[in-house]
Amino acid sequence: MSKKALIIGASSQDGSYLAELLLEKGYEVVGTVRHTTNFFQENIKHLYGKIKIAAADLIDQESLSYVVRDNKPDEVYNLAAQSVPGDSWTQPFYTAEVTGLGPVRVLEAVRQFAPSAKFYQATSREIYGNQTGTANEKTLIDANNPYGIAKAYAHMMTRCYRESYGIFACGGILFNHESPRRSLHFVTRKISAGVACIKNKVKNPPLNELGEPLVDGQGKLHLGNLDATRDWGYAKEYVEAIWLMLQNDKPKDYVIGTNTSYSVRDAARIAFEHVGLNWEDHVVSNEKLHRPTEIKDLKGDYSLAKKELGWEPKTSFEDLMKLMIDADLKRFK
Ligand code: NAP
C-alpha cells in the first residue's frame, strides 16, 4: 500500500516541489491550502487531480485536527507560515500566531490523531539571527526579528514534542532557497522578474511590497540593502533533503544550505549580465525596502546532512539565477 503524506501549505514554493517529489515516489498526497475569496494557486495548478486538496488554516486548530484525523497520514510536512521576514515587523502578532503557534497546532493534531506519523517542521536560518561564519545544528539559536523568533519557538516546540511525546519530529533548518516558484516578496525573484520586465519592456510590471511597480517608469528596479548576503540554494533540491529527513532511522534536526554566500549586488550583476545589460544602469537601493535589522553573512554547513542523509546541493547560485530569469522571461512578455 502506498504511503500517505499530508503537506500543510501545499501552495508554497516548497510544497509544490515536495508534492511532485512525493508523487514520483508513489505517495498518495493530500495538500492543504487556505480558503480565500480569490482562489488562486499558481504553484499547484498543474497538480490538480493528482493530489487531494483540503482546506486548513494554521490559526484554526479544528481545521488542522480535522485534516489529520480524516486522512491519517504517515508523514506530515508543515511548510505553511507567514513566511516573509520583512513583513514580520509590521505584523508581529500575526507572525507569532501563524509562524510560531501554527506548527504547535499541527503537532497537537499529530499527537492526538496520528501519533505514529512522522512530522517535518520548516525551520529557517533566521533562528541564528545576526551571527556570522558558518552555522550547523549546534549553533546558538539567537533570532533577531519577529519571523526568526517565531520560527525559533516552533523549532524548539518541535524538539519538545519529539522528546516529550516520542513523536518522530524533525526541524529542517533551511537556508534561503529559491526557484521560479519563489514568491515576489523575495529579492532573488524580484530581481529575476525585474530583469525580465526590463528586458521585455513590460508596461505593467507586478507590484512590490510597497504597492509600487517593481520596475519604475525610468526602468529602475527597486531593491533593499545591496550589501546584504545570503546562502542561496535551489528549492527543488532542498525538498529532497526535507523528504530524506523523514526517511531516517531517528528524528533529528538538520541544517540545509550550500556553504556559500552571495550579496544582493552579486545577484543583480549575474542577473543583468545574463540578458546582456549592466545592473548599475537599472538597480537602485530604496531605503524603504531596507529591514530595520539586517542579518550578517552566515553560511549553512550541511555536513551532517551530507554524512547521514547523503544530501548535498548541486546547482550553483549563478545557474539558479539564470534558470529563474529564463522562466520569468517567458512569464513576463
Ligand atoms: P511560501 O512560498 O512563502 O509559502 C508560504 C505558505 O504558507 C503558502 O502556502 C501560504 O498559503 C501558507 N500560509 C500562510 N499563512 C497561512 C495560514 N495562516 N494557514 C495556512 N497556511 C498559511 O513558502 P516557501 O518559501 O515555500 O517556504 C516553505 C516554508 O519554509 C515556510 O514555512 C518558510 O517560512 C520556510 N522557510 C523558507 C525558506 C526559503 O528560503 N524559501 C527558508 C527557510 C524556511 P497561501 O498561498 O494561501 O498564502
Side-chain angles (χ1 to χ4, degrees), residues 110-132:
V110 168
R111 183 181 77 78
Q112 290 185 44
F113 303 112
S116 54
K118 295 179 171 182
F119 172 81
Y120 173 83
Q121 165 58 15
T123 300
S124 159
R125 159 271 173 267
E126 297 272 349
I127 66 170
Y128 297 136
N130 211 16
Q131 299 173 81
T132 54

Side-chain angles (χ1 to χ4, degrees), residues 77-315:
Y77 297 87
N78 178 42
L79 305 178
Q82 188 302 88
S83 61
V84 186
D87 286 352
S88 71
W89 278 275
T90 52
Q91 300 178 26
F93 298 105
Y94 183 72
T95 303
E97 186 64 63
V98 172
T99 308
L101 281 177
V104 185
R105 296 192 180 97
V106 184
L107 278 162
E108 259 311 296
V110 168
R111 183 181 77 78
Q112 290 185 44
F113 303 112
S116 54
K118 295 179 171 182
F119 172 81
Y120 173 83
Q121 165 58 15
T123 300
S124 159
R125 159 271 173 267
E126 297 272 349
I127 66 170
Y128 297 136
N130 211 16
Q131 299 173 81
T132 54
T134 54
N136 64 23
E137 296 75 9
K138 295 197 173 81
T139 301
L140 178 73
I141 296 178
D142 192 19
N144 71 342
N145 64 50
Y147 168 84
I149 293 164
K151 282 284 184 191
Y153 170 74
H155 182 69
M156 291 167 92
M157 286 301 278
T158 301
R159 192 192 297 165
C160 171
Y161 271 63
R162 177 166 78 218
E163 290 169 359
S164 310
Y165 301 118
I167 289 177
F168 192 110
C170 305
I173 308 165
L174 271 53
F175 279 62
N176 294 55
H177 45 283
E178 321 296 309
S179 76
R181 298 182 195 172
R182 186 65 147 147
S183 125
L184 271 165
H185 286 94
F186 294 90
V187 68
T188 51
R189 186 69 207 296
K190 280 198 223 177
I191 293 173
S192 66
V195 165
C197 289
I198 291 168
K199 184 72 183 171
N200 288 343
K201 299 188 171 50
V202 170
K203 295 230 165 53
N204 301 308
L207 303 182
N208 64 21
E209 62 266 48
L210 302 172
E212 294 165 2
L214 196 58
V215 178
D216 69 19
Q218 281 72 50
K220 304 281 186 199
L221 169 64
H222 289 238
L223 301 175
N225 179 2
L226 303 181
D227 295 322
T229 59
R230 295 289 184 272
D231 176 340
W232 276 302
Y234 185 21
K236 200 169 176 188
E237 293 167 5
Y238 282 37
V239 301
E240 286 169 21
I242 290 174
W243 175 75
L244 283 167
M245 284 181 215
L246 296 200
Q247 313 315 308
N248 214 2
D249 295 340
K250 284 196 185 128
K252 265 192 196 176
D253 304 329
Y254 289 94
V255 163
I256 301 297
T258 68
N259 219 343
T260 63
S261 74
Y262 291 83
S263 66
V264 172
R265 184 179 278 100
D266 293 331
R269 181 185 45 74
I270 292 166
F272 280 92
E273 273 175 9
H274 184 53
V275 297
L277 297 172
N278 179 358
W279 74 275
E280 285 166 305
D281 295 337
H282 294 282
V283 173
V284 289
S285 173
N286 182 337
E287 281 292 326
K288 285 190 266 176
L289 293 169
H290 285 227
R291 288 181 177 197
T293 52
E294 236 325 322
I295 48 174
K296 290 208 181 103
D297 188 55
L298 188 69
K299 300 177 186 69
D301 172 4
Y302 59 89
S303 32
L304 188 67
K306 185 174 177 188
K307 183 166 162 239
E308 296 189 358
L309 306 177
W311 180 90
E312 58 186 324
K314 297 184 189 82
T315 305

Side-chain angles (χ1 to χ4, degrees), residues 51-104:
I51 67 173
K52 177 177 157 191
I53 305 278
D57 196 306
L58 284 183
I59 61 175
D60 181 9
Q61 178 70 60
E62 185 48 30
S63 68
L64 298 163
S65 297
Y66 180 84
V67 80
V68 172
R69 203 167 50 217
D70 196 41
N71 289 290
K72 291 271 182 296
D74 301 294
E75 296 171 11
V76 178
Y77 297 87
N78 178 42
L79 305 178
Q82 188 302 88
S83 61
V84 186
D87 286 352
S88 71
W89 278 275
T90 52
Q91 300 178 26
F93 298 105
Y94 183 72
T95 303
E97 186 64 63
V98 172
T99 308
L101 281 177
V104 185

